[in-house]
Amino acid sequence: MSLTILVFAKQVPDTKNITGKAMKDDGTVNRAALPAIFNPEDLNGVELALALRERYGGKVVVATMGPPAAANILRHALYMGADESILLTDRRFAGADTLATSYTLAAAARKAGPFDLVICGRQAIDGDTAQVGPQLAEKLNIPQLIYVAEVESVEAGRLRGRCLIDGGYEIIESPLPCLLTVVAEANVPRPAGARRLMQYKRAVTRSELLARHGGRDYEDANVLAEEEASLRRRGLWIHEWTAGDLAVDPNRIGMAGSPTKVKAIQSVVLTGKGSKQVPPTDEGIAGLVHELIAEHILS
Ligand SMILES: Cc1cc2nc3c(=O)[nH]c(=O)nc-3n(C[C@H](O)[C@H](O)[C@H](O)COP(=O)(O)OP(=O)(O)OC[C@H]3O[C@@H](n4cnc5c(N)ncnc54)[C@H](O)[C@@H]3O)c2cc1C
C-alpha cells in the first residue's frame, strides 16, 4: 500500500539562544530577538514520514503556518526528501493560540488532502503545550496516536504504533487515516542531502518570486505565470496559502480566534540551598521523614 502523508512543522525561536527581549508587550514572541530554527521534534516527524514512504511508497507533503521566513524550514524539508510543501502565511494568522492554530491547520489539511496519515511533532519548543496535534485530530475527526516512538507496521488500512507512556510503552492500533505526534526518540533525522540542497535551494513561494521582481507591485502577470509554471514543473514551487485560500472563519484564526493570552514569561533558575547528609540507617531515614512532614513537604 502507498501512503499519502502530511507533516505539520513549525519554525520556532531557538530558545537555547535568546539574544534579546524574548516576549513583546502584547505577550507574543519577539521573533526578531531570536534565531529561528526547525522545531526539533518536527524534524523527527519529517524523518518518520520519509522512512514510511521508503517502506510503503507514497508522497510526503510538509506544511507550516508562520511568517514568510518560515519558508526556510520548508526548503529544509525538501532537502531532506519531502515531495511538496505548503506555507500558510497571512497577517491574520498571527498571534494564534493552539485553538486558532489547530483550526487553521485543519482547514489546510482538508484543502490539501485527503491523507492517510497526518504527522506532528509532540510539542513545539516555544509554546510547549503539545496541544496542537491532539486538537487537530479532533477537528479532522480522525483517531490519534500520541508520543509515538515507532511505527511498527501499516497493513490492511491499519497502523500499529509504539507510544511512550510514563515508565514504559503501549502498543496502539488504529485505522487509517489517523494522526501521530512523534517524540524525539523515534529516530535520528537525516541531514539535508547535498544534491537535493543544490536543487531545492531555488524553491520559492509566490511572495519570494514577486520579491525577485521588486515586490508586490510587479504587474507582468505573463512573466509570473511562465516562471511559476516552470518552477512547478521542476518541483521548485512552494505553495503559499493565505486565509482567503482556506475556508476559514476570520473570527476563528490568529489573535481574533485566540482566547489564550500570554501575559508574561519568567526565567526560573532553580538554585540549591546546600545539601544535607542523611546517614543510611533507620534512625537517619526516620529523622528525614519527620523533617519533611514538619516542613509540609510530606503529609
Ligand atoms: C511562552 C508561551 C506560552 C504559551 N502558552 C500557550 C497556552 O497555554 N495555550 C495556548 O493555546 N497557546 C499558548 N501559546 C501560543 C502557542 O505557542 C501557539 O498557539 C502556537 O501556535 C501553537 O502552540 P505550541 O507552540 O504550544 O504547539 P504544540 O502544541 O507544542 O505543537 C505540537 C506540534 O503541532 C505542530 N504545530 C504547532 N504549531 C504549528 C504551526 N504554526 N505550523 C505547523 N505546525 C504546527 C507541530 O508539528 C508541533 O510539533 C504560548 C506561546 C508562548 C510563547
Side-chain angles (χ1 to χ4, degrees), residues 8-10 23 27 29 39 41-42 63-66 96-99 101 105 119-124 126-133 260 262 265:
F8 279 113
K10 185 180 182 187
M23 302 294 287
V29 177
N39 181 53
E41 282 176 328
D42 299 350
T64 189
M65 178 180 83
D97 67 3
T98 59
L99 197 67
T101 300
L105 300 190
I119 298 183
C120 291
R122 176 190 51 139
Q123 71 184 47
D126 55 350
D128 256 356
T129 65
Q131 291 170 1
V132 170
T260 313
V262 179
I265 59 165

Side-chain angles (χ1 to χ4, degrees), residues 115-219:
F115 292 96
D116 300 302
L117 264 184
V118 178
I119 298 183
C120 291
R122 176 190 51 139
Q123 71 184 47
I125 60 168
D126 55 350
D128 256 356
T129 65
Q131 291 170 1
V132 170
Q135 288 179 356
L136 182 55
E138 286 292 314
K139 292 192 169 81
L140 293 173
N141 201 20
I142 58 175
Q144 53 183 285
L145 277 73
I146 59 166
Y147 290 59
V148 171
E150 186 189 357
V151 171
E152 290 191 347
S153 63
V154 186
E155 273 165 23
R158 293 185 76 79
L159 179 144
R160 197 177 148 93
R162 189 165 60 89
C163 305
L164 210 57
I165 53 171
D166 262 353
Y169 296 98
E170 60 185 2
I171 305 293
I172 299 185
E173 229 181 79
S174 162
L176 298 178
C178 63
L179 180 143
L180 315 180
T181 76
V182 180
V183 292
E185 75 168 54
N187 50 45
V188 178
R190 67 193 68 189
R195 271 206 8 233
R196 291 188 67 94
L197 195 149
M198 294 314 290
Q199 185 179 356
Y200 289 101
K201 68 180 184 187
R202 284 169 291 146
V204 287
T205 61
R206 184 173 175 78
S207 300
E208 288 170 333
L209 179 62
L210 274 168
R212 275 188 200 164
H213 290 287
R216 295 201 170 269
D217 295 336
Y218 184 73
E219 277 174 355

